[in-house]
Amino acid sequence: MIPLTLAEIVSATGGALHDGDPAAMVTGPVVVDSRLAEPGSLFVAIKGEHTDGHGHASAAVGSGATAVLAARPLGVPAVVVQDPVAGLARLARAVLDRLGDVTVVGVTGSSGKTSTKDLMAAVLETAGPTVSAVGSFNNEIGVPLTVLAADTDTRHLVVEMGARGRGHISYLCEIAPPGIGVVLNVGAAHAGEFGSREATAVAKRELVESLQTDGVAVLNADDPLVLAMAPATAGRVVTFGAAPAADVRAEGIEVDDQGRAAFDLLTPDGAARVRLRLHGPHHVSNALAAAAVAHVLDVPVEQVAQALGEATPRSRWRMEVVERDDGVTVVNDAYNANPESVRAALETVAAMSGGRRSWAVLGEMRELGAAAATEHAKVGTLAVRLGLSRVVAVGDGARGISDAARETAVPGTTYLGEEPVFVSDVDAALTLLRAQVRPGDVVLVKASRAAGLERVAQGLLEAGAPA
Ligand SMILES: Nc1ncnc2c1ncn2[C@@H]1O[C@H](COP(=O)(O)OP(=O)(O)OP(=O)(O)O)[C@@H](O)[C@H]1O
Ligand SMILES: [Mg+2]
């Protein structure tokens, strides 16, 4: 970040300084977790669901933080504002306005924001200093924290933007006004909160609505709800996808036995073959989005193809593929789940399985509202249709998956797999898997974050650790 005095932070946030020296310097990082505070940090005290950051202010200062951004005086150097989250937003915007020639790339969509943001960073880093957060920093806290990591050298700032309702993305675009706004897809994720896919689209459209006339909307030509956003922007539109009309597109897609895709990247500037290291055909779309942004920023297509081909996962638990010593492959996609990402994961594992025995260990997909029953059933059916050997549904919310799988996998059909099963929790799943997974199997583990299935993936990996 750029160094700031407490006086400058006071003026950016509209706060009041307590117990501190106005000339004291904050040199970063800005943190919301006191355990991450370092000498020179600013600790932002946020009252969350479980903990109140105000209780950790002295620990942060003890670790060297210069000051705290807080809602009340705390007996340590503090910039006191009414609402620290809003103060953090104002600070980020003020800092961004002081940075020189930086292009903000905002990325939204129902699935793949983090994966695409990581791919974009990997590509743009080859063209100039690039800042993007590791992980899913996509809300009113994560976005300003990402902005504050930038400094005067930064040329590209890649910001993930999530929406759980109307007005959220507009708010994030005020903190970090994008020059390039990327919309990946509109799926069923959070449809329960929005009411429908169309309502979800309206919320995501705020990103392209925020663009100025010199901005560029990068839109997925394969998703009708995304393409329909084109008239909503004042900026130029660049499209990506498999659609022949897309400006940046993929042809000749091939998927290898590890589920990794290769494709010809065709852009208005030229073409190059891309071989992804990331697992899952859905990354073609994410890679095209990154390539479209690179095209807007004039990065040569060969350089884009190379960077895409070298990119490995940066953020955890998204299609993390780990091979155990006994040849069991664990695909840990336990970060989250919605119908589109489960489909993508099942297709990947089907591509990886070849003649191997394959498992789909699936937990609940949350936040689907009225669509929940149908969507869980569709997943169970799809897993069987794709020929996965064994479906394991974990936890009550996932019961619809094993029920539908069992109905689809009726004896006498072409399905050669084993009886789909339901287990009540993570421990039961681990017990089953420890007893029944055999060397050479491929095991997908996936659910919404709240289901905690990463414990299943971790447990499986421990089981395979050398004695
Ligand atoms: N283009 C895509 N289509 C469908 N699924 C995808 C796509 N890209 C990534 N996924 C899958 O979606 C899941 C979430 O990926 P990722 O974390 O990148 O998305 P996100 O949009 O950032 O999610 P969140 O809303 O939780 O921040 C992973 O299982 C990933 O493999
Ligand atoms: Mg994310």
Side-chain angles (χ1 to χ4, degrees):
M1 78 173 279
I2 56 174
L4 297 168
T5 63
L6 292 185
E8 287 172 313
I9 293 173
V10 163
S11 114
T13 57
L17 183 60
H18 289 257
D19 309 304
D21 171 5
M25 296 291 282
V26 169
T27 52
V30 179
V31 296
V32 294
D33 180 339
S34 59
R35 291 163 299 183
L36 302 176
E38 296 171 17
S41 278
L42 176 70
F43 171 64
V44 185
I46 295 175
K47 191 168 165 17
E49 236 170 82
H50 307 292
T51 43
D52 183 351
H54 292 84
H56 300 276
S58 38
V61 171
S63 301
T66 306
V68 180
L69 182 62
R72 57 175 188 272
L74 294 160
V76 294
V79 174
V80 175
V81 291
Q82 209 183 356
D83 174 4
V85 174
L88 175 65
R90 283 196 294 272
L91 179 63
R93 177 59 195 263
V95 164
L96 185 60
D97 288 343
R98 283 174 53 170
L99 300 181
D101 179 20
V102 52
T103 301
V104 175
V105 183
V107 183
T108 195
S110 297
S111 301
K113 295 179 293 296
T114 297
S115 311
T116 305
K117 178 258 304 164
D118 289 349
L119 275 173
M120 258 168 215
V123 172
L124 297 182
E125 274 161 12
T126 68
T130 300
V131 166
S132 81
V134 170
S136 198
F137 277 54
N138 65 14
N139 63 11
E140 69 281 8
I141 298 166
V143 168
L145 288 179
T146 306
V147 170
L148 287 164
D151 63 25
T152 47
D153 288 337
T154 306
R155 288 292 160 268
H156 316 116
L157 181 60
V158 186
V159 184
E160 175 173 344
M161 294 184 172
R164 306 207 138 224
R166 291 282 281 276
H168 288 191
I169 294 203
S170 298
Y171 176 83
L172 300 177
C173 290
E174 274 167 38
I175 300 171
I180 302 177
V182 185
V183 187
L184 300 174
N185 45 51
V186 176
H190 314 309
E193 279 158 68
F194 285 107
S196 68
R197 260 184 199 230
E198 285 68 24
T200 312
V202 171
K204 305 214 178 298
R205 197 173 68 199
E206 292 170 11
L207 177 58
V208 302
E209 286 167 348
S210 81
L211 297 169
Q212 307 293 310
T213 47
D214 59 352
V216 184
V218 171
L219 301 179
N220 186 348
D222 298 336
D223 186 324
L225 285 174
V226 175
L227 199 56
M229 295 178 192
T233 185
R236 183 158 68 92
V237 173
V238 170
T239 58
F240 67 90
D247 298 311
V248 173
R249 62 200 171 87
E251 259 183 20
I253 301 174
E254 287 169 347
V255 180
D256 73 7
D257 61 3
Q258 290 293 305
R260 293 173 301 207
F263 61 94
D264 293 323
L265 170 63
L266 309 179
T267 80
D269 323 313
R273 186 88 182 151
V274 174
R275 282 172 207 288
L276 294 175
R277 283 195 208 180
L278 301 178
H279 300 265
H282 54 290
H283 285 303
V284 174
S285 179
N286 301 341
L288 288 174
V293 169
H295 158 67
V296 172
L297 293 170
D298 291 327
V299 186
V301 66
E302 287 293 344
Q303 188 174 325
V304 174
Q306 183 170 354
L308 287 172
E310 285 169 4
T312 48
R314 295 189 179 194
S315 304
R316 307 264 354 239
W317 302 341
R318 290 163 183 82
M319 298 300 285
E320 246 177 62
V321 178
V322 184
E323 185 89 28
R324 260 171 37 176
D325 287 352
D326 60 356
V328 170
T329 304
V330 178
V331 181
N332 181 357
D333 200 26
Y335 176 73
N336 73 9
N338 59 48
E340 291 78 27
S341 71
V342 174
R343 166 180 283 274
L346 290 173
E347 284 171 351
T348 308
V349 171
M352 290 172 74
S353 56
R356 302 163 71 181
R357 187 160 169 252
S358 53
W359 296 72
V361 183
L362 303 170
E364 182 181 8
M365 303 179 286
R366 293 266 182 118
E367 298 170 358
L368 293 176
T374 343
E375 295 295 348
H376 284 90
K378 276 197 213 161
V379 162
T381 304
L382 180 67
V384 169
R385 294 228 167 107
L386 286 170
L388 271 73
S389 322
R390 189 125 210 233
V391 175
V392 181
V394 187
D396 271 327
R399 200 184 279 274
I401 297 177
S402 47
D403 287 348
R406 213 171 289 120
E407 266 173 43
T408 315
V410 282
T413 64
T414 51
Y415 183 64
L416 300 173
E418 301 159 51
E419 171 85 0
V421 278
F422 169 81
V423 293
S424 56
D425 57 23
V426 164
D427 291 317
L430 268 173
T431 308
L432 174 85
L433 293 166
R434 286 195 172 118
Q436 298 190 14
V437 166
R438 299 197 292 258
D441 289 2
V442 188
V443 189
L444 167 71
V445 182
K446 184 164 179 72
S448 279
R449 198 64 257 289
L453 254 61
E454 71 278 0
R455 275 221 293 130
V456 174
Q458 278 155 2
L460 272 175
L461 291 173
E462 282 155 20

